[in-house]
Amino acid sequence: MSQTNESGIPQVHREYLLGVRIVTVDGADGNGTQYRFEAPDHRGVRFDDPDSAELYADVYFDVNGFQEEGTGDRGVPPEIIQAGRDTLAAYFLTQPYTDLNWVASFYGKRPPEIERYIETVRKRAEEIRTGAAGMGME
């Protein structure tokens, strides 16, 4: 269930353009807060921390949107596979079965190199959002 304000409106953690946002929701076990990524034509995905939800949003913008439905529990959407090593690393980092060391091991890299991949994706996503906003997209 979404956490709401006094007016019953879901609490938005972060709102992006094109109907993409992250809202706060009650944790699955009823304790704590989770963060749900929402976008048009995309099933909501929950995260335990806001950083993972924001990184997921950055990946979403980096590849111009994707859908996970039909990829299975551990599948990766084709748009992400095609986007390249840095985007795939960022996507992996948003998954509950990974962490920075797992992703670094997967690539045969050191964690600081993976952090650079992540920062590249974040910067590219911000440039995309800025460009879209500059073109009048809301």
Side-chain angles (χ1 to χ4, degrees), residues 4-9:
T4 59
N5 63 18
E6 302 82 36
S7 304
I9 298 171

Short mmCIF file of all heavy atoms in Angstrom, two decimals, residues 4-9:
data_model
loop_
_atom_site.label_atom_id
_atom_site.label_comp_id
_atom_site.label_asym_id
_atom_site.label_seq_id
_atom_site.Cartn_x
_atom_site.Cartn_y
_atom_site.Cartn_z
N THR A 4 0.52 7.69 2.10
CA THR A 4 -0.18 8.85 1.58
C THR A 4 -0.06 10.03 2.54
O THR A 4 0.20 9.85 3.72
CB THR A 4 -1.67 8.54 1.33
OG1 THR A 4 -2.26 8.12 2.57
CG2 THR A 4 -1.84 7.45 0.30
N ASN A 5 -0.31 11.21 1.99
CA ASN A 5 -0.36 12.39 2.85
C ASN A 5 -1.77 12.55 3.40
O ASN A 5 -2.62 11.69 3.20
CB ASN A 5 0.13 13.64 2.09
CG ASN A 5 -0.76 14.00 0.92
OD1 ASN A 5 -1.91 13.56 0.82
ND2 ASN A 5 -0.24 14.80 0.02
N GLU A 6 -2.03 13.65 4.05
CA GLU A 6 -3.35 13.87 4.66
C GLU A 6 -4.48 13.86 3.64
O GLU A 6 -5.62 13.54 3.96
CB GLU A 6 -3.37 15.22 5.41
CG GLU A 6 -2.33 15.35 6.51
CD GLU A 6 -0.97 15.75 5.98
OE1 GLU A 6 -0.86 16.55 5.02
OE2 GLU A 6 0.03 15.24 6.53
N SER A 7 -4.20 14.18 2.39
CA SER A 7 -5.22 14.22 1.34
C SER A 7 -5.40 12.87 0.66
O SER A 7 -6.18 12.76 -0.28
CB SER A 7 -4.84 15.26 0.27
OG SER A 7 -4.67 16.52 0.86
N GLY A 8 -4.66 11.85 1.09
CA GLY A 8 -4.77 10.53 0.47
C GLY A 8 -3.95 10.38 -0.79
O GLY A 8 -4.08 9.41 -1.51
N ILE A 9 -3.09 11.34 -1.08
CA ILE A 9 -2.25 11.29 -2.28
C ILE A 9 -0.96 10.55 -1.93
O ILE A 9 -0.35 10.83 -0.90
CB ILE A 9 -1.94 12.71 -2.79
CG1 ILE A 9 -3.25 13.42 -3.17
CG2 ILE A 9 -0.97 12.69 -3.96
CD1 ILE A 9 -3.09 14.89 -3.48
#
